[in-house]
Amino acid sequence: MRLQCGRHTLDLGNPVVMGVLNVTPDSFSDGGRYAGLGAALAHAERMAAEGAAIIDVGGESTRPGAAPVDLDEELRRVIPVIERLAARLAIPVSVDTSKPEVMRAAIASGASMINDVAALRAPGAIDAVARSDAAICLMHMQGDPRTMQREPRYTDVLVEVRDFLRGRVARCVEAGIAASRLVVDPGFGFGKSLEHNLELLRRLPELVADGHPVLAGLSRKSMIGGLTGRPDGDRLAGSLALATFAILSGARIVRAHDVAPTVDALRVVAAIGGRHGVA
């Protein structure tokens, strides 16, 4: 399985790690640590050296209850970082945004992937990426970051998430976006209770069966706190357990804050062999 990411072609025969680079003051886990340009570049280069296959740059927190960031501020945060990383790194640089204007500017600055928690539903978002060759991750979210964790409800969470993602994939293909550029993300923690997240994990192979690469974003999530009682800075063991389960269930990309140990976990699982569905 290969993913077309701009000038890069990402081989997903073995699962890979997307390293998280939050250049925000208020992200739930590492807000403010990499808001400065120098710190952001150094951390991205460190994650690449540790084995990250993608660096995902985010300038607007999507944690539960987060306030929106205006366009100019988001551009100020992410574009200088993307420009420099795209020139320095030999791996794809992704931008985590839902704003079409940021998507366009990021692609023009060298971004090879768009990671959108709103699945290109903002007016103009599909047009902003359709004529590019960037990869696109389409994520499911019930509600928006300010409200999504206020009593999320589903009749069948897997069916509803899968149907939503199928619809977004179809809309992208209709707009001329090649299927080889598309990734889907069930959106763990985005408008889901602990029980919803666990059900999605148990039934992840049903989503994988649709044939599109699945990205799992589970690192340091509140569901780990709900299961273990650990604060967000002490969730490495839980994050690795969830990442391992996700790739054994067929996920091809794991989004992670702790790149080196996650890469190690994926390499061990890949070495065990194909009977678990890992190449």
Side-chain angles (χ1 to χ4, degrees), residues 120-139:
L120 301 184
R121 283 180 291 168
I126 287 182
D127 291 340
V129 300
R131 293 183 180 87
S132 76
D133 54 3
I136 300 129
C137 183
L138 304 166
M139 197 195 80

Side-chain angles (χ1 to χ4, degrees), residues 7-225:
R7 60 190 174 91
H8 304 275
T9 300
L10 196 60
D11 184 356
L12 300 179
N14 284 322
V16 301
V17 174
M18 170 187 274
V20 178
L21 179 59
N22 290 318
V23 291
T24 60
D26 59 343
S27 292
F28 81 95
S29 182
D30 53 7
R33 291 184 64 186
Y34 310 114
L37 180 59
L41 297 177
H43 186 53
E45 290 175 342
R46 182 164 54 250
M47 289 192 290
E50 291 173 344
I54 310 166
I55 302 296
D56 191 37
V57 182
E60 179 177 29
S61 176
T62 52
R63 62 180 171 79
V69 172
D70 68 46
L71 172 62
D72 289 343
E73 177 61 15
E74 188 175 348
L75 288 168
R76 185 193 68 78
R77 293 175 181 179
V78 302
I79 296 305
V81 177
I82 290 169
E83 285 177 339
R84 286 161 178 80
L85 290 181
R88 294 186 187 190
L89 299 182
I91 60 175
V93 177
S94 169
V95 63
D96 183 354
T97 188
S98 296
K99 294 184 179 71
E101 299 89 345
V102 177
M103 296 176 191
R104 290 191 188 93
I107 291 169
S109 299
S112 299
M113 186 171 185
I114 305 297
N115 182 19
D116 184 6
V117 300
L120 301 184
R121 283 180 291 168
I126 287 182
D127 291 340
V129 300
R131 293 183 180 87
S132 76
D133 54 3
I136 300 129
C137 183
L138 304 166
M139 197 195 80
H140 176 275
M141 173 173 56
Q142 187 179 93
D144 59 54
R146 288 170 293 179
T147 64
M148 62 188 180
Q149 291 306 106
R150 298 177 188 171
E151 299 185 47
R153 297 183 182 182
Y154 300 87
T155 301
D156 185 319
V157 64
L158 186 282
V159 169
E160 292 172 50
V161 168
R162 185 188 62 199
D163 288 350
F164 169 84
L165 292 173
R166 284 176 174 174
R168 297 312 297 161
V169 166
R171 178 68 185 88
C172 287
V173 172
E174 288 171 4
I177 299 171
S180 60
R181 293 166 52 196
L182 298 176
V183 176
V184 296
D185 178 351
F188 295 104
F190 284 80
K192 282 98 177 170
S193 67
L194 175 59
E195 291 74 20
H196 295 143
N197 289 320
L198 294 174
E199 180 71 4
L200 279 174
L201 269 171
R202 292 186 193 105
R203 298 174 64 189
L204 197 61
E206 295 178 50
L207 184 60
V208 170
D210 278 357
H212 301 288
V214 172
L215 183 151
L218 295 155
S219 177
R220 303 184 186 176
K221 288 286 177 77
S222 61
M223 65 181 292
I224 302 170

